[in-house]
Amino acid sequence: MDRKDQPMALRREPHVLVIGGTDSSGGAGLGRDIATIAALGVRTCLAVTAVTVQTHDALMAIHPVPPDCVADQMRAALVANEVAAIKIGMLASEQTIAAVAAVLRECPGIPAVLDPVLAASSGGSLLQTGTALKALKRDLIPLCDLVTPNLIELAMLADAASASNDDEIMRQGQGLLDSGARAVLVKGGHATGPLSTDILLCSSETPRRFDAPRLDKSMRGTGCMLASAIAGYLANASILEVSVRKGKQLVFEQLQKISPE
Ligand code: PLP
């Protein structure tokens, strides 16, 4: 159907604008984001930051999209649709971080969820090293309503060793709040113990814990899935805490469905 023939009502339905990279293996990235949000019955629109060449075991190539083109895609998606939440994944470079931040500043009322994707679960870096990490913290994180690091990403953002206990997690998470994040969800998937606990930190509120039994299963793209589901629930007007709880439940159910490796 030609876009101009798309019924007006459809364009006015809440959409999640998904910003990130493609993953040829289908395990993670935009494909995973779109599938997750579609399963919630929420529509998506896109801004592609990079095309990656990957199998499930190796990252072979990254072809970044020019930063101006990323910003143009975002602006076009925002004009075309009723964007009710934004989900940000792979950003590839400092220049793309700046381009995304510039567009976010133009639409401050839309909740944005940032999955600070630094490395591919197939191996290899998805964000340039050096100043890009600083730019992420300085320019983008303060514009986001929620940042969802795992323990490794949290440590890299905190420029510290990976947290091995609650106190260290709180200290590193607080550091992100101090640098302007409105809320931080620290994912405990890489920790050990019978429970997989994610901790939601918001300034001036008591940390909230979300527990699920730890499953002896792994799947690529669970970070993409969680942040996408949270953005999908936010787009459907759920509050942050409810969106996080439902998002975690969804990832747990998906993990339960797969057979052990
Ligand atoms: N985005 C892309 C394009 C990726 O390739 C990956 C991981 O390979 C991710 C995001 C993050 O994936 P995960 O949800 O496994 O952290």
Side-chain angles (χ1 to χ4, degrees), residues 207-237:
R208 272 152 291 174
R209 305 172 77 89
F210 301 85
D211 293 325
R214 185 176 298 283
L215 299 171
D216 185 20
K217 295 174 179 184
S218 74
M219 180 170 69
R220 296 194 51 231
T222 48
C224 301
M225 194 187 282
L226 178 65
S228 292
I230 294 171
Y233 290 122
L234 287 173
N236 262 347

Side-chain angles (χ1 to χ4, degrees), residues 20-23 27-30 32-33 50 52 54 59 87 89-90 115 117 119-123 126 150 153 187 219-225:
T22 65
D23 171 359
L30 287 174
R32 182 68 88 182
D33 296 333
T52 75
Q54 297 187 58
L59 170 68
K87 188 264 168 177
M90 176 185 177
D115 180 16
V117 174
S121 33
S122 64
L126 292 177
N150 60 33
E153 292 157 349
K187 297 178 288 193
M219 180 170 69
R220 296 194 51 231
T222 48
C224 301
M225 194 187 282

Side-chain angles (χ1 to χ4, degrees), residues 72-92:
D72 288 346
Q73 292 174 75
M74 287 176 68
R75 292 194 181 99
L78 286 157
V79 167
N81 305 296
E82 187 66 43
V83 174
I86 297 174
K87 188 264 168 177
I88 307 164
M90 176 185 177
L91 289 161

Side-chain angles (χ1 to χ4, degrees), residues 39 45-46 69 106 112 126 129 255:
C45 43
L46 308 177
C69 177
E106 295 165 13
L126 292 177
T129 46
L255 276 169

